Amino acid sequence: MQQKISLKTLPSEAADDSIIKRLIANSCSKKVSSVSGYTITKRSIDARAKTIWVNLTVNAFIDEPYHHREIQTFTFNDIRNAPKRVIIIGAGPAGLFAALQLIETGIKPIILERGKDVRARRRDLAALNKEGIVNPESNYCFGEGGAGTYSDGKLYTRSNKRGDIDRILNLFVHFGAEEKILYEAHPHIGTNKLPHIITEMRKRILDCGGEFLFEKKVVDFEITNEKIKAVKTADGNTFTADAFILATGHSARDIFELLHTKNILIEAKPFALGVRVEHPQQLIDSVQYHCDARGEFLPPASYSLVQQVNNRGVFSFCMCPGGIIAPAATTSGELVVNGWSPSKRNNPYANSGMVVQIELSDVIKNEKMKGDALAMMRFQQMVEQKSFNAGGGKFVAPAQRMVDFSNKKISADLPDCSYQPGLNSVQLNEVLPDFVYSALAKGFVEFGKKMKGYFTNDAVVVATESRTSSPVRIPRDAGNLHHPQIKNLYPCAEGAGYAGGIVSAAMDGERVAKQIAGLLMC
């Protein structure tokens, strides 16, 4: 028989197959020889007490042959001669999963990606990191896989009402991710492994007859009778289709400008802005695991922090254990930082965004500004430009030790840091908006009370973490999911304000694709 069993194990026990089988046998009063095998269905770490526990839920095979985990199967159709075509603008998670969903329903996707494929994209990232040269069309945000390819590969989401999370995870496994993402409490692929997975998705789309076109930046829409007839790209090409999915991500400011110029309705939206904080990973391990060294059976520790400061939320964002801080700007003269981790999370630093919620009322101060749908974007842009200038150029980042930051004291020197372009010691209260700085300064002190050892000058504060989500929302009909003015334009995922991460973006891409298929195939 098969039996679902919950186990509470020490980290060393959770890594030993023979011990797990013995614990399974003990829990159901059987001999160990009766346990032919098991699959883990859920795994989490409980580090609240001094003794660290690993909680496992397993599907145990008792007195019957063991069967490997069943991975969900998918049927991708040959759509070379499909009568219906959908253009997808953007090859991030939303665009890729929308394309795969369309293929499953017999519709031909045509992906227009402004950037380059993942291999060519690496050269542009190297130039950004080492030489301070940014390619505005190929960087950490733009290119095959979108920002998700170089944003750590975190697959944890609370958006379980937006779609089928298990389906998304199974699709990742189908294209090469490790099976452990199906049962880890906080699944993670790793930036080093994502490019291969993204490449395999592209190959499948092409093998089925879809089109995947790089360096195709959309610069205009041809609109007739409340419908898009065609899109134009910067190289002079024109593309037609039955429907258009806009999945351009949170940093495609030119798309927001284009929509605004053409009087296509968009809205200013709250977002979060702050800094990225980096500690030695060993320090975070010792705090979270209550020991000097975590040992071989525990992963690098993470944390999640939130605090109300003067009725304003301050919270950690995209925490990267064993990670690296990277320059995520999309144009020269603006400084943005982000974080990522390789699959092993084996770098000596732990970094996290630490951000403050920016409300419309913080930026939009008068009646004239209320009509500016790009007001929040302009504010974001202004802070990024100020940060770039404070760094001194070439994407050197302005930075400060944490205790010095909260005390408004310039740091005499800065600790070693993973940020390749380098750091410049400045007083960040002169860079960040006053209300953002004051909330962070108090927040760090409060976090130090919750997490002993967190508030330390061994940590460095790096500006600016500003691309947490889109500062613009592109409205859509709640039922049909198309834009209220343009009946075959489907705003999608992070760039439109409907997702926040790889999985939620992928689910929104699938949701939009299903809606389109229901209309086109009826």
Side-chain angles (χ1 to χ4, degrees), residues 157-165 503-504 507-508 511:
T157 181
R158 293 186 177 92
S159 304
N160 54 6
K161 293 183 180 180
R162 296 186 184 181
D164 187 343
I165 295 174
V503 172
S504 61
M507 289 193 295
D508 200 55
R511 184 184 177 205

Side-chain angles (χ1 to χ4, degrees), residues 38-258:
Y38 61 91
T39 54
I40 301 173
T41 59
K42 188 175 180 180
R43 184 182 189 275
S44 63
I45 296 173
D46 184 351
R48 291 173 294 178
K50 189 170 183 179
T51 300
I52 310 298
W53 297 102
V54 176
N55 295 317
L56 299 175
T57 302
V58 302
N59 182 41
F61 291 78
I62 314 294
D63 294 323
E64 71 169 67
Y66 167 72
H67 300 288
H68 289 284
R69 186 192 312 275
E70 290 186 10
I71 305 299
Q72 191 173 340
T73 58
F74 304 92
T75 301
F76 298 106
N77 297 307
D78 185 333
I79 39 78
R80 289 174 177 81
N81 300 314
K84 300 295 183 181
R85 299 152 45 103
V86 173
I87 284 178
I88 300 170
I89 305 170
L96 291 171
F97 280 79
L100 293 169
Q101 180 67 57
L102 290 170
I103 289 171
E104 286 186 276
T105 54
I107 296 172
K108 180 174 181 174
I110 303 169
I111 297 179
L112 304 181
E113 169 53 50
R114 68 191 297 164
K116 302 177 183 178
D117 65 80
V118 287
R119 178 174 293 182
R121 194 176 170 189
R122 288 195 187 106
R123 290 191 287 272
D124 295 314
L125 298 183
L128 177 56
N129 278 297
K130 297 176 183 178
E131 302 171 44
I133 300 171
V134 62
N135 181 335
E137 311 305 336
S138 178
N139 43 65
Y140 276 100
C141 291
F142 300 147
E144 186 176 17
T149 305
Y150 297 100
S151 65
D152 195 48
K154 294 182 186 67
L155 302 179
Y156 176 68
T157 181
R158 293 186 177 92
S159 304
N160 54 6
K161 293 183 180 180
R162 296 186 184 181
D164 187 343
I165 295 174
D166 286 341
R167 172 184 157 85
I168 300 299
L169 297 179
N170 272 273
L171 271 165
F172 272 116
V173 173
H174 179 84
F175 286 106
E178 295 180 55
E179 287 187 22
K180 66 181 181 180
I181 69 170
L182 301 176
Y183 59 80
E184 292 282 2
H186 291 84
H188 162 259
I189 293 177
T191 301
N192 56 317
K193 293 190 175 182
L194 272 166
H196 169 74
I197 294 167
I198 298 301
T199 300
E200 290 302 307
M201 289 183 179
R202 184 222 312 163
K203 288 179 180 177
R204 181 60 57 87
I205 291 167
L206 293 173
D207 287 346
C208 291
E211 295 183 35
F212 207 124
L213 306 175
F214 293 105
E215 299 183 76
K216 295 292 181 183
K217 179 181 178 180
V218 171
V219 295
D220 200 7
F221 303 122
E222 292 183 5
I223 302 172
T224 305
N225 297 327
E226 297 186 328
K227 285 191 173 184
I228 294 180
K229 294 299 182 184
V231 295
K232 293 182 178 179
T233 53
D235 57 6
N237 288 317
T238 299
F239 297 87
T240 62
D242 298 285
F244 300 80
I245 297 176
L246 191 61
T248 48
H250 56 44
S251 292
R253 289 172 174 161
D254 55 299
I255 289 293
F256 299 144
E257 297 268 15
L258 174 62

Side-chain angles (χ1 to χ4, degrees), residues 331-388:
T331 189
S332 59
E334 298 171 3
L335 182 56
V336 185
V337 293
N338 194 6
W340 60 268
S341 300
S343 57
K344 291 183 179 180
R345 291 180 160 171
N346 56 355
N347 282 292
Y349 306 103
N351 72 75
S352 177
M354 196 60 69
V355 295
V356 177
Q357 188 67 16
I358 312 295
E359 302 294 346
L360 298 181
S361 58
D362 294 320
V363 176
I364 300 174
K365 301 293 187 180
N366 54 53
E367 288 299 318
K368 184 178 179 180
M369 291 184 71
K370 285 183 179 178
D372 184 4
L374 300 177
M376 300 296 276
M377 187 188 86
R378 304 287 186 216
F379 177 81
Q380 180 192 60
Q381 202 167 19
M382 177 270 293
V383 177
E384 293 172 3
Q385 290 169 352
K386 198 169 183 179
S387 181
F388 181 88

Side-chain angles (χ1 to χ4, degrees), residues 220-221 223 226 255-267 371 373-374 474-475 483-486 489:
D220 200 7
F221 303 122
I223 302 172
E226 297 186 328
I255 289 293
F256 299 144
E257 297 268 15
L258 174 62
L259 294 171
H260 194 53
T261 300
K262 298 185 80 70
N263 294 315
I264 297 173
L265 183 64
I266 59 175
E267 304 164 347
L374 300 177
I474 307 173
H483 191 277
Q485 293 171 297
I486 313 296
L489 175 64

Side-chain angles (χ1 to χ4, degrees), residues 219-508:
V219 295
D220 200 7
F221 303 122
E222 292 183 5
I223 302 172
T224 305
N225 297 327
E226 297 186 328
K227 285 191 173 184
I228 294 180
K229 294 299 182 184
V231 295
K232 293 182 178 179
T233 53
D235 57 6
N237 288 317
T238 299
F239 297 87
T240 62
D242 298 285
F244 300 80
I245 297 176
L246 191 61
T248 48
H250 56 44
S251 292
R253 289 172 174 161
D254 55 299
I255 289 293
F256 299 144
E257 297 268 15
L258 174 62
L259 294 171
H260 194 53
T261 300
K262 298 185 80 70
N263 294 315
I264 297 173
L265 183 64
I266 59 175
E267 304 164 347
K269 184 182 83 60
F271 68 107
L273 180 147
V275 295
R276 193 151 279 267
V277 174
E278 185 172 85
H279 290 79
Q281 180 63 53
Q282 189 276 332
L283 186 154
I284 299 299
D285 289 341
S286 66
V287 172
Q288 296 295 75
Y289 291 145
H290 329 291
C291 59
D292 292 332
R294 71 171 184 269
E296 62 178 305
F297 299 110
L298 286 170
S302 63
Y303 61 82
S304 177
L305 295 167
V306 62
Q307 180 71 37
Q308 285 291 311
V309 177
N310 299 326
N311 297 315
R312 189 183 296 277
V314 180
F315 56 95
S316 58
F317 172 82
C318 184
M319 197 274 150
C320 300
I324 289 170
I325 299 178
T330 51
T331 189
S332 59
E334 298 171 3
L335 182 56
V336 185
V337 293
N338 194 6
W340 60 268
S341 300
S343 57
K344 291 183 179 180
R345 291 180 160 171
N346 56 355
N347 282 292
Y349 306 103
N351 72 75
S352 177
M354 196 60 69
V355 295
V356 177
Q357 188 67 16
I358 312 295
E359 302 294 346
L360 298 181
S361 58
D362 294 320
V363 176
I364 300 174
K365 301 293 187 180
N366 54 53
E367 288 299 318
K368 184 178 179 180
M369 291 184 71
K370 285 183 179 178
D372 184 4
L374 300 177
M376 300 296 276
M377 187 188 86
R378 304 287 186 216
F379 177 81
Q380 180 192 60
Q381 202 167 19
M382 177 270 293
V383 177
E384 293 172 3
Q385 290 169 352
K386 198 169 183 179
S387 181
F388 181 88
N389 292 333
K394 290 193 173 181
F395 299 100
V396 172
Q400 202 167 4
R401 290 180 183 264
M402 181 181 279
V403 177
D404 292 342
F405 175 94
S406 291
N407 291 335
K408 290 188 178 179
K409 176 185 175 184
I410 193 164
S411 300
D413 57 13
L414 296 170
D416 291 339
C417 178
S418 65
Y419 184 72
Q420 253 189 298
L423 304 178
N424 183 29
S425 179
V426 304
Q427 290 194 199
L428 288 174
N429 63 297
E430 298 177 358
V431 177
L432 298 168
D434 288 343
F435 70 92
V436 172
Y437 166 76
S438 60
L440 287 170
K442 178 64 174 175
F444 290 150
V445 174
E446 295 302 314
F447 291 148
K449 296 174 184 177
K450 293 181 177 181
M451 187 176 165
K452 301 298 183 183
Y454 180 86
F455 186 60
T456 172
N457 256 351
D458 288 338
V460 63
V461 179
V462 183
T464 302
E465 171 76 73
S466 51
R467 306 284 177 94
T468 56
S469 64
S470 175
V472 173
R473 175 173 284 109
I474 307 173
R476 67 187 187 190
D477 181 88
N480 293 319
L481 305 183
H482 59 61
H483 191 277
Q485 293 171 297
I486 313 296
K487 306 306 180 185
N488 64 343
L489 175 64
Y490 293 82
C492 184
E494 272 198 69
Y498 299 101
I502 292 174
V503 172
S504 61
M507 289 193 295
D508 200 55

